[in-house]
Every structure is written in structure tokens, then in C-alpha cells.
Amino acid sequence: MDEDNDGYKNYKLHYKAWFPVILDSPMPWIGMYVAAASLVCSVAMAGDVIHGIRRKKLWFPCKYFSMNAASLTVIAVAMKLSMDLTTGMWGTIDTLVKLSSGCFMIIVMGNFLISFASMNNKEIFMNIVALGILVITISVNMGIQLYIWWGDGVDTYILRIFNIVSMLVLFVTMISSILTIPATKRDMETKYNELHETACEGGKLEEIENLTDEKLKEVVEKYWVMAETGSPQFVMARSVTSATIGAICLATTIYFVTLAIAVVLGGDGLKGFHSTYRWSTVWIFMIQSIGVVVGTIAPICRWFTAINFNYSMFSNHHKEFKLVETFWIQRLVAWKETPLPSQIRGMKCKRVIENVKILVLNLCIGIQIWIVVASKLVHLISIIITLPLFSCFYYRKRMKVDLESESIALETKNSSPKLDLYVLRLEGEAKLPKSILKNMCHELNQLIQMGKSHQPQNLLELLRKSNNSFKGVVDFDSNQVQYCWTLPVVTLTSIAIALPGIENHTVNQLMRSVSEGLLYASLVEESFSYKGDDLLNLKCAANVVWAGVELNGKWLDKDLRKYLLKGRTMEGTLQTLVDIAEKATIEFQRNAMGGHKILAANSMSTISQTILNDYKHSTDPHVDRDLFEKLSIMTADILGACLTNLPRVIIQKCYCSAIEERDKSVRRAACLLGEIEAIRGILKHHELPGLSGDQAAYIDEWRSYMMQKDPPSLVPSSNNEISASSSGELHINVGK
């Protein structure tokens, strides 16, 4: 019994001796996990810097590094050392890592401030609460560490206090900025809708399809300026609170870099780590230090953007200056004036709650006013400090203007006039600097040129075959069946692919052309709100069919080239397609999930039958090639008629109702303007039906109008003669 007790005691002593080693062994790898999280944040901040420089937006919009659940989780991992109270960190590098983590958090908060502007109210509330919990937790833990490791040195002790205070001030300033988002968005929306009437010439751009390229570009320019200057992120980036946050980030970086260099050069360098994280602390310190330096670029540049934006106001003393604009406290005042919910019972209780609410909100309004005034003071001091720099810059710019007056006059002549009228500004904001407006126009021109470099060459080759009167819009089907634009194009292409005697490279060329054309036809269909579900179902049917045709050469799982129709004649091929479509219709009608496929099968059946009636009993030895050419021309006519609506698509994309998506929508419109330049050049010589804008967006309206104006005549199969003119058009001569 005694021997057993002695063995148990020895086991306990051995276990206690090795237990700390077992726990400490993975700590360096946990430190590398922290370093990896810091690297992800640093790379994302660097991505925003590169993105802003490439687009010449020196206020650096948040694209890659924004506030959301994923980024908050990564930040929490990167801040592990700041919240670690159980691990002793006594070495020089350990102390620097603690400091770098606090500074890194400040820079991170300064970077994704303006990303809140792109969120809705619910997202803002959830994200700011989550961020607040993290900030308070880090601040409390750093405060406890101040008490535990108070002997690190006076300089590091002061920097830790500075980090805690800066983090809390930064968070309060962020809340102050975020409270203005609903009010500023409403203000921007109101001004945008007012200018929309002017940009669209009273909201009525008649005959948009006949607008010249220059006129269409002018319209896009106006909406581009409105979208860019009214962007919620840009509005927040040029605010005085954003400038204050930039100043805090700059002061933090300077203090940290100076102290880190002094400690590294005056101590053990990057050695002397005594914590269980060991060598991983070096990686954490290096990555977070680089992240602090790189991440400071965006807040500093937003600070200078705000200074540049308000420099002209400061230089013009006659400008009216307002201490606190309405939008700063509008949200708080609205909350104050909102009555209590009716669910609260009892007058006494309701009166107490109302008084407490008014007291709290009055306090919040006072704090908000104090923050705005302090931010404007910081902003004013910043302008005074940088005044010599900006004065030299503007003086040099004026000298350059005088030397290059002729070239600038020519540039002004070529640019759209009065774009300044379409700049969206908040109450009390200064006039937009010409350099920013110039960069906006330059970026727009780059987008248009980018679109021109990506013009659909295969589609252009197909559209050159189209008839001037778009005759194929009626000829492809003699029945009065409802269609969308893309379904007959997909069906005609499927029939053309199935024809025997056609070379593979010819078929592949048609498929490439149709594939490019369907991208633009889909834009037309998506831009116009279809009435009811019928057209939406037809569009879905076209998408289902084309996915199989483009990827596998199969129409609803039926091989069009290799197996099903191998060795058939043209007439036999068309009859087989009719039979397959009719059988598919019966089969899919039994299946509750086959609604879209039924529409596709009906389309194949009616179109194939129409073409078969035209070409039945034909004796022409080249009938396969002739029919393939005719199908190509019908496809070109349908796509050409559809793409006449592209100018309307551009106007609709310019006028985007969602303020958060407006920039992307106008950007796509600018690219589309360049892409369709050659398409418009081909289609401008075609005859257009006398349809209104809404009617021209639907193929059924085209077919009804053209049938009433010039009823289509079916070509007798025995007298079928097809000839191509030198212009590439197809003429059908009907013998008598």
C-alpha cells in the first residue's frame, strides 16, 4: 500500500513538472496565428490604398477592408496579446508587441470608419455594438495590464495610456460620425432627385436611341458627378470628424514609430523575449508595425482631403460659417421628439421614462455638439498648419495655368459644360476643388476607353448581317406566341447548330457571337420591369437552354451535333427537332418542376415547324448553308432590334435608386457606353418602328407593330431563292 502511494506521488510530481511545458509548447504557433490575422488586416488595408491610388481617389474608399462580422473576427484574433492577462511578458520585444497591438487597433478603426456609410441602419447598429464590445474589452484589459506591468518604463507607460485614451476618443468620434449617416443620405437623396430632373431635361429624354454619342456621354457625365460626390463614403471621408480621426491616427503612428526605434536601438533589439510566445512575438511585432505604417496612409489622406475640400472656404472670409450644422444633431433631435410606445402603461411611469429620455438625449446632443466643435477646431488648426503648403501648391498651379492657357481652353471646350452644377454637397460644405472634379472626369474617360477596348467583335460581325428593317423579328415564327428577346435567339441558334453539312468553325463562330449578344440582351431584359411572371419564365427558359447549348452542345440534354441528328438531311433534321420538342412538352407537362422546359420546348416546336414549312421539299443542293445563313440573319435581326434599347439601359443604370449602389451602377453604364459604340454605329442606319420607349423594350410589341404595318409573307418552299448582296444583307426573292 505504501509503495502504491509513493508511486502515485512520484507520478504527480512528474506530471506537475511537465504540465507547464505541455501547455507552453503550442504558444509560439498561437502567436503565429495572431501574426497571420494581423497580416490579413494589413494586406486588406494595403489593398484599399492601392485601389484608391489606381482610381485617383485619395480619400481611399473601403473596398477590401470594411466593417463586418468576418473582419471583426480577424481583428479580435489579431488583438489577442492586448487582451492576454495570464501570460507574463517581460522582455523588450514583448513590451513592443503590447504597444504595437494597441496602435494597430487604433489604425484599424481609423481605416474602416467610412465603411459604415455603405450600411443600412440595422447593419450600422449591429456592427457598432460589436465593435464597442471589442473596444471596451481591449481598453479594460490594457488598463489592467498598466497596473500589473507598471515598471516597463515611463515612455512605454505613457504610450499605453495614450493608446487607451485614443482608442476611446476614436470610438466616440466614430459614433458621432455614424449618427449623421441617415440625415446625410436623405439630404443627398433630395438633392440627387432635384438634379435628376435637370440631367434628364425635365425627366423626358425623348428618342434616347437617337441621341448622339456626345450627348449620351454628357448625360453619363452628369450622373457620374452626382454619384461620386453623393457617395456616402465620400461624404463621410470629407467630414471634419474624419479629419480628426486622421489626426489621431497620425499622432499614434508617429509616437509608436519613434518609441519603437528608440527601444530597439537602445536595448536588446528584437531579442530578449521571455514570454511563452517566444520567437513568434518578433513576427507579430514586425507585421503589426508594417500594418500601422501602411494603415495610416488612408486616414491621413482623408484628413488632407477634408483640408483641401474646405481650404477655399477658409480663404474666402465672406463665407457664412455655422458652428454646428443641422445634420449633426438631426437624428438625436428626432429621437428626442419621438413619443414613447403606447405599450407603456401608467402616466407616472410614462412621465418618468419621458423625462429620463429627454435628459439622456439632451446630454447626447451636448456631447455631439462638443465633438463637432472640437473636430472643427482640429480641422481649423490643421488648415492653419498646412496653409503655407497649400498656398504654394495653388500658386504653382495658377502659374501652370497661365503658361498652358491655350491647352486648358481646348480641354474645357471638349469637356461637358457646367458639371459643377451637379456636385452634391451638404449644408455648410465648400465648393468641390477643381482637381477632384478633374480626377472624376478623367476616371470616367478611362472607363469609357476601357469599354471601347472590350467591344464584342464577334457580335459586331453578326450584326453586320442584319436587315435594315429587322425583318427577322417577324420571320422566325408565323404564330402569335409570346416571347422574350433571348428565347428565340437561343432556339434559332440551337436549330442552326443541329443542321448537317455545316463546318464546326462556322458553328463555333455563331455561338461566340450569340454568347456575346445574349449578355447585352439580358441587360435589356433586366433593365425593364416585365409585367407579370410570363416574361420572367420565358427568360429563365432561355437561360436553362443556353447553359446546355453553350457548355455541352445539348438542347435540354439532347445532343445537337454528334449523336441524335447524325446523317440526317436538313428536312429530316427539322422534323426531328419538331418531334423531339413535342415529346418533351408532353414529358415535362407530367413533371411539376418542368415549367421552364415546357416553354423552351414550345418555342423549339413552333419555330422549327415554321422553318420546316418554308423549306419543305426544297431541292437546292446548298440548302443547308443557305438555311444556316438565314438563321444567322434572323438571329442578328432579333439581337439588333433588342440592342437598340441599350441607350435606355445606360440611362436607367445612371439613375439608380439605391444610394449605396449608385456608384457601381454608373460605373457599369460608363463601361457599357464604350462597349456599344460600334454597335450603335451599325444600328443607327437601320429603320426603327414607331414605338414608344416602353414598347420598344419588348419583342412582342415589335412583332405586333411590324405585322400590322407589313404582314409577313411565307416563302414558298418550291421557289426558295436566297442571295447575299455585297453589303452582307440577305434578300429573299419570292417567285410568282
Side-chain angles (χ1 to χ4, degrees):
M1 194 72 179
D2 294 336
E3 292 179 358
D4 293 341
N5 290 334
D6 292 340
Y8 178 70
K9 290 178 180 179
N10 291 333
Y11 172 75
K12 286 181 66 178
L13 292 173
H14 179 76
Y15 181 75
K16 287 181 178 179
W18 280 96
F19 185 70
V21 177
I22 295 173
L23 288 181
D24 293 346
S25 58
M27 293 301 287
W29 298 108
I30 294 176
M32 291 304 295
Y33 183 51
V34 174
S38 303
L39 180 62
V40 170
C41 294
S42 301
V43 170
M45 290 187 290
D48 282 341
V49 171
I50 295 172
H51 174 69
I53 292 175
R54 289 184 61 184
R55 292 179 57 182
K56 293 187 177 181
K57 291 186 175 182
L58 298 184
W59 53 274
F60 297 106
C62 291
K63 181 178 181 180
Y64 303 106
F65 190 64
S66 58
M67 183 62 190
N68 51 50
S71 62
L72 192 64
T73 303
V74 176
I75 294 167
V77 174
M79 293 295 107
K80 183 184 185 306
L81 269 64
S82 294
M83 296 186 287
D84 192 348
L85 299 176
T86 59
T87 303
M89 305 183 71
W90 310 101
T92 303
I93 185 63
D94 301 328
T95 302
L96 289 176
V97 166
K98 291 282 189 179
L99 296 175
S100 67
S101 296
C103 296
F104 191 73
M105 182 64 189
I106 293 173
I107 300 303
V108 162
M109 292 172 63
N111 269 266
F112 59 55
L113 163 69
I114 65 173
S115 66
F116 282 96
S118 300
M119 305 176 189
N120 58 40
N121 293 341
K122 183 178 179 181
E123 291 173 338
I124 290 173
F125 177 76
M126 298 299 293
N127 284 315
I128 197 63
V129 169
L131 179 62
I133 293 172
L134 180 62
V135 169
I136 293 173
T137 303
I138 294 174
S139 301
V140 171
N141 286 5
M142 290 176 67
I144 295 173
Q145 292 173 30
L146 278 176
Y147 176 77
I148 297 175
W149 295 295
W150 57 270
D152 287 344
V154 177
D155 293 335
T156 57
Y157 194 81
I158 293 175
L159 182 55
R160 290 189 181 192
I161 296 176
F162 178 81
N163 284 346
I164 296 173
V165 174
S166 297
M167 199 180 304
L168 295 175
V169 171
L170 195 63
F171 181 67
V172 174
T173 308
M174 289 179 68
I175 295 176
S176 173
S177 301
I178 290 169
L179 284 172
T180 66
I181 292 176
T184 55
K185 282 185 178 180
R186 282 195 299 270
D187 194 7
M188 291 292 104
E189 280 292 329
T190 301
K191 295 179 179 179
Y192 178 84
N193 291 327
E194 291 174 357
L195 290 175
H196 163 64
E197 298 296 324
T198 307
C200 272
E201 298 177 0
K204 298 179 180 179
L205 275 175
E206 299 294 344
E207 298 182 353
I208 295 177
E209 66 277 358
N210 295 326
L211 289 178
T212 62
D213 292 337
E214 292 77 13
K215 182 65 176 176
L216 194 57
K217 182 184 176 183
E218 285 184 15
V219 176
V220 174
E221 278 182 337
K222 295 173 183 178
Y223 282 102
W224 174 261
V225 172
M226 288 192 290
E228 290 290 298
T229 56
S231 169
Q233 287 198 17
F234 185 36
V235 172
M236 181 171 285
R238 65 193 192 227
S239 65
V240 291
T241 50
S242 179
T244 302
I245 290 174
I248 293 174
C249 291
L250 178 61
T252 302
T253 302
I254 293 175
Y255 198 174
F256 167 72
V257 171
T258 304
L259 181 60
I261 293 174
V263 171
V264 170
L265 296 180
D268 298 329
L270 297 181
K271 301 178 181 179
F273 42 81
H274 302 291
S275 69
T276 54
Y277 291 102
R278 296 199 293 276
W279 47 267
S280 66
T281 54
V282 178
W283 286 99
I284 298 172
F285 171 71
M286 292 178 62
I287 292 174
Q288 288 188 347
S289 298
I290 294 173
V292 168
V293 175
V294 173
T296 309
I297 296 175
I300 290 177
C301 289
R302 291 169 191 161
W303 180 24
F304 276 98
T305 298
I307 294 174
N308 185 29
F309 202 82
N310 292 280
Y311 173 78
S312 59
M313 177 184 288
F314 179 78
S315 59
N316 297 331
H317 300 286
H318 63 276
K319 285 276 186 180
E320 181 182 354
F321 178 76
K322 206 169 183 179
L323 193 63
V324 177
E325 289 80 11
T326 307
F327 62 86
W328 288 105
I329 59 174
Q330 187 174 344
R331 187 77 182 274
L332 293 172
V333 172
W335 285 345
K336 179 182 174 181
E337 295 175 351
T338 302
L340 293 175
S342 58
Q343 289 82 358
I344 300 177
R345 302 293 182 180
M347 288 300 299
K348 190 174 182 180
C349 179
K350 205 167 186 177
R351 189 180 298 110
V352 171
I353 295 175
E354 178 70 18
N355 292 334
V356 172
K357 185 193 80 169
I358 293 175
L359 180 64
V360 171
L361 287 174
N362 282 337
L363 178 62
C364 292
I365 291 172
I367 294 174
Q368 178 78 335
I369 293 174
W370 184 88
I371 291 173
V372 174
V373 172
S375 298
K376 288 193 173 184
L377 182 61
V378 172
H379 193 64
L380 180 62
I381 295 173
S382 302
I383 292 177
I384 294 173
I385 293 174
T386 58
L387 193 60
L389 177 64
F390 279 97
S391 298
C392 294
F393 173 77
Y394 284 112
Y395 176 76
R396 186 177 180 181
K397 192 174 180 180
R398 282 194 297 269
M399 293 294 292
K400 186 177 181 180
V401 169
D402 293 337
L403 292 174
E404 301 178 1
S405 57
E406 294 182 1
S407 60
I408 289 181
L410 181 62
E411 183 179 351
T412 305
K413 182 179 178 181
N414 294 332
S415 62
S416 298
K418 298 182 179 179
L419 286 180
D420 288 335
L421 299 176
Y422 297 92
V423 174
L424 302 182
R425 292 178 290 171
L426 289 173
E427 176 190 2
E429 278 193 327
K431 188 178 180 181
L432 185 73
K434 291 183 178 180
S435 59
I436 296 179
L437 186 60
K438 183 179 178 181
N439 288 338
M440 289 180 183
C441 295
H442 178 69
E443 184 182 5
L444 176 65
N445 292 329
Q446 282 185 325
L447 290 173
I448 295 174
Q449 291 300 322
M450 185 188 304
K452 290 181 180 179
S453 64
H454 292 85
Q455 294 188 20
Q457 299 300 327
N458 297 302
L459 175 61
L460 294 175
E461 185 177 342
L462 177 64
L463 290 178
R464 291 188 182 99
K465 298 180 181 180
S466 61
N467 290 296
N468 287 338
S469 59
F470 300 111
K471 191 172 182 292
V473 174
V474 176
D475 287 347
F476 76 89
D477 189 359
S478 59
N479 301 296
Q480 291 288 345
V481 181
Q482 188 178 27
Y483 285 105
C484 65
W485 288 109
T486 52
L487 186 56
V489 171
V490 170
T491 305
L492 289 171
T493 306
S494 301
I495 296 171
I497 293 172
L499 292 177
I502 307 299
E503 296 82 358
N504 287 332
H505 70 87
T506 304
V507 172
N508 293 335
Q509 175 63 31
L510 176 63
M511 288 187 64
R512 287 193 294 267
S513 302
V514 172
S515 181
E516 292 178 352
L518 288 176
L519 294 177
Y520 296 100
S522 296
L523 284 177
V524 174
E525 292 178 337
E526 291 169 2
S527 298
F528 295 92
S529 56
Y530 281 172
K531 302 172 183 177
D533 296 331
D534 293 340
L535 290 174
L536 292 177
N537 292 331
L538 289 169
K539 183 178 182 300
C540 291
N543 293 337
V544 170
V545 173
W546 184 246
V549 172
E550 185 179 29
L551 297 177
N552 304 312
K554 295 182 178 181
W555 179 85
L556 297 184
D557 297 328
K558 307 296 182 182
D559 199 301
L560 294 171
R561 295 285 287 174
K562 292 185 178 179
Y563 306 110
L564 180 66
L565 308 176
K566 188 175 181 180
R568 297 292 185 96
T569 62
M570 183 274 298
E571 184 178 345
T573 297
L574 293 174
Q575 185 60 55
T576 302
L577 288 174
V578 172
D579 295 339
I580 291 173
E582 290 177 350
K583 291 179 181 178
T585 302
I586 298 173
E587 179 183 350
F588 294 140
Q589 284 175 346
R590 298 171 183 171
N591 186 359
M593 302 298 293
H596 296 156
K597 294 182 179 180
I598 292 174
L599 296 175
N602 287 334
S603 174
M604 175 63 78
S605 177
T606 56
I607 294 177
S608 298
Q609 188 64 57
T610 298
I611 298 172
L612 179 61
N613 293 337
D614 291 349
Y615 280 88
K616 188 177 291 186
H617 308 306
S618 175
T619 58
D620 190 344
H622 303 292
V623 68
D624 293 339
R625 296 181 182 178
D626 293 341
L627 179 56
F628 183 88
E629 187 67 16
K630 180 181 179 181
L631 293 176
S632 300
I633 293 173
M634 286 181 179
T635 304
D637 286 347
I638 298 171
L639 285 175
C642 175
L643 300 188
T644 57
N645 292 284
L646 284 177
R648 301 181 189 277
V649 173
I650 291 176
I651 298 299
Q652 286 205 8
K653 283 192 172 296
C654 286
Y655 183 64
C656 178
S657 58
I659 189 172
E660 294 83 4
E661 301 294 328
R662 198 166 286 159
D663 177 70
K664 295 179 183 178
S665 185
V666 181
R667 180 175 296 274
R668 179 65 184 118
C671 292
L672 189 60
L673 179 61
E675 291 176 20
I676 70 169
E677 183 181 48
I679 295 176
R680 296 194 69 207
I682 294 174
L683 298 179
K684 68 181 180 181
H685 301 295
H686 287 54
E687 299 175 10
L688 297 178
L691 298 172
S692 65
D694 293 336
Q695 292 177 324
Y698 304 94
I699 187 174
D700 290 337
E701 297 289 347
W702 280 68
R703 287 170 58 79
S704 299
Y705 179 88
M706 295 174 71
M707 286 180 178
Q708 292 173 2
K709 182 179 179 182
D710 187 16
S713 57
L714 296 178
V715 181
S717 58
S718 59
N719 297 312
N720 222 348
E721 183 178 352
I722 304 176
S723 62
S725 68
S726 59
S727 62
E729 296 179 359
L730 189 71
H731 299 276
I732 302 176
N733 299 322
V734 182
K736 297 183 180 179

